[in-house]
Amino acid sequence: MSPGERTPMRETTEQGPWLPADPREDAGAGAARWLRPPRPLAQGGRERLLGVELEFSGLSAAEAAEAVVRVFGGRARQLSEHRALVEGAEAGDFEVELDFRWAHDGARDPRLRKILGDLGEALLPMEVVCPPMPLSRAPRLEALREALRRAGARGVEELPLHALGAQLNPELPDLGVGYILRAARAYLLLSDWLRDEIQPTAARRILMFARPFPAGWGRLILDPDYAPSLAGFIDDYLRWNPTRNRELDLLPLLAHLDEERVRRALPDEKINPRPTWHWRLPNALVDDPDWTLSLEWNRWVTVERLAERPDLIARHARVWIEDSRLPLALDRVEHARAILDEL
């Protein structure tokens, strides 16, 4: 299966209600429909937020910022040749920059920064970092994706050797360790299916931007007797995953919950604490007119739906653990599909 192909999602009647579409913008890609998650509210009762980081090539920072302005309004301010900020936009401030530290503050000489940025622009992604927005407004991000495509943005459909990702940062509905553990277990059980559906590009696999979790951590957290405190969960995660390079990066979340503990273990890692998951697995196919952000969001919602079924998690976790001890492993993609059939 190529990065542009995918298994059709289930019908509305099987997957539940949808988030309201935004009728104001032409989002392309047919009718992009966003599933409502099983828990749309955050702790405290307000609507959950979603942040998105969208990578692409083919546009300058100024051109990408203008695409943002066309959709969300605001004013584009050029910070450097390779960095821009859209201020006062309807959804908040958008950051647009070449994903290359040396083009910004990594070199003191501005002339060297420009040279490095010009070189980096040919090889590294430009990135739009969207402000966190309420889930009910997130479908409007499809209009931004379409505006970038029409402006000439290219994704992995045209540039398969580039490591371009669409990263989702959904706020958690519950910051307790019980929910975090349950959702992490759900993700592990579905992760082989997600990788099979998404087909991360060779460049992203080789560069290790979104590595799978170690099997040892999977066996640890899927054990039915594993019931850690928050501090214990964080320590175990850091022991097995002392890096941001995981397809589901928990470091921003864990740093939000206990920054001192995380910084003590990883003093040199760049971590932005926030109460969100950081899902790094999806490819960015901005140049594919049939690709949508809703496709990736709906896949994520499948994980959240399984997190609400501890009975299914417990039963299939036992199978996963037993299989991990056998010399011949079962087909975990098919195992995940069997779980989906029971959701």
Side-chain angles (χ1 to χ4, degrees):
M1 185 183 297
S2 73
E5 296 176 330
R6 48 217 168 246
T7 300
M9 301 298 290
R10 298 186 182 204
E11 297 296 327
T12 310
T13 53
E14 293 182 62
Q15 286 204 321
W18 306 91
L19 293 172
D22 188 337
R24 294 173 292 175
E25 300 286 348
D26 175 13
R33 307 189 71 184
W34 290 57
L35 282 169
R36 189 186 309 276
R39 296 201 205 183
L41 302 181
Q43 289 184 177
R46 63 163 174 77
E47 189 176 12
R48 288 169 62 191
L49 304 177
L50 173 67
V52 171
E53 302 167 43
L54 190 57
E55 296 175 338
F56 50 88
S57 188
L59 297 179
S60 67
E63 291 168 332
E66 285 304 315
V68 173
V69 170
R70 283 196 293 274
V71 176
F72 288 100
R75 180 177 64 88
R77 181 160 64 94
Q78 194 82 16
L79 303 180
S80 71
E81 189 164 345
H82 302 290
R83 176 183 276 173
L85 180 66
V86 177
E87 301 172 299
E90 165 189 325
D93 292 348
F94 290 73
E95 299 175 16
V96 183
E97 65 178 20
L98 183 68
D99 192 11
F100 185 37
R101 183 175 66 88
W102 289 96
H104 309 304
D105 52 13
R108 292 183 179 179
D109 187 336
R111 292 170 298 180
L112 179 58
R113 287 199 298 268
K114 183 183 184 306
I115 292 171
L116 291 172
D118 291 344
L119 292 172
E121 200 169 77
L123 301 170
L124 299 168
M126 191 66 67
E127 180 180 44
V128 173
V129 180
C130 305
M133 59 185 67
L135 289 180
S136 60
R137 297 173 64 186
R140 198 163 186 218
L141 289 167
E142 300 292 2
L144 174 59
R145 170 195 50 74
E146 182 66 7
L148 291 167
R149 186 185 73 82
R150 291 179 178 179
R154 293 179 294 171
V156 297
E157 185 80 0
E158 187 175 338
L159 300 169
L161 298 181
H162 283 56
L164 304 175
Q167 302 176 33
L168 304 187
N169 303 305
E171 182 180 17
L172 276 71
D174 183 342
L175 294 175
V177 67
Y179 178 79
I180 294 170
L181 175 59
R182 203 162 65 246
R185 286 169 165 167
Y187 186 85
L188 273 168
L189 291 172
L190 296 180
S191 59
D192 291 274
W193 168 75
L194 289 166
R195 283 192 295 276
D196 186 67
E197 288 284 296
I198 291 170
Q199 293 287 308
T201 62
R204 299 183 73 225
R205 293 196 305 271
I206 293 169
L207 294 173
M208 299 185 294
F209 286 144
R211 298 191 68 181
F213 288 115
W217 188 66
R219 284 190 293 269
L220 173 69
I221 73 164
L222 288 173
D223 188 320
D225 295 326
Y226 183 66
S229 64
L230 177 60
F233 180 84
I234 293 174
D235 288 342
D236 288 336
Y237 182 87
L238 295 172
R239 188 175 302 114
W240 285 97
N241 304 283
T243 174
R244 292 185 299 150
N245 289 332
R246 291 289 182 263
E247 57 190 47
L248 179 61
D249 176 18
L250 271 62
L251 291 179
L253 169 63
L254 301 183
H256 172 81
L257 296 170
D258 192 339
E259 185 168 5
E260 181 181 355
R261 183 178 296 272
V262 174
R263 298 286 185 199
R264 189 166 59 243
L266 302 173
D268 300 322
E269 196 73 66
K270 180 184 174 184
I271 304 169
N272 178 21
R274 55 186 183 265
T276 73
W277 305 109
H278 183 37
W279 192 35
R280 300 164 55 97
L281 183 63
N283 297 313
L285 292 88
V286 180
D287 48 347
D288 181 352
D290 295 323
W291 178 75
T292 65
L293 287 165
S294 67
L295 174 67
E296 311 305 344
W297 168 254
N298 293 348
R299 287 167 172 158
W300 174 259
V301 169
T302 304
V303 175
E304 294 199 4
R305 291 176 61 224
L306 179 56
E308 300 300 319
R309 293 289 306 275
D311 57 324
L312 275 183
I313 291 172
R315 178 152 43 87
H316 288 280
R318 285 193 293 271
V319 176
W320 196 100
I321 291 172
E322 290 169 3
D323 166 69
S324 72
R325 299 190 178 108
L326 298 175
L328 295 176
L330 60 77
D331 186 336
R332 286 190 177 152
V333 175
E334 290 304 318
H335 182 210
R337 289 187 177 129
I339 299 172
L340 296 177
D341 287 340
E342 297 185 62
L343 274 179

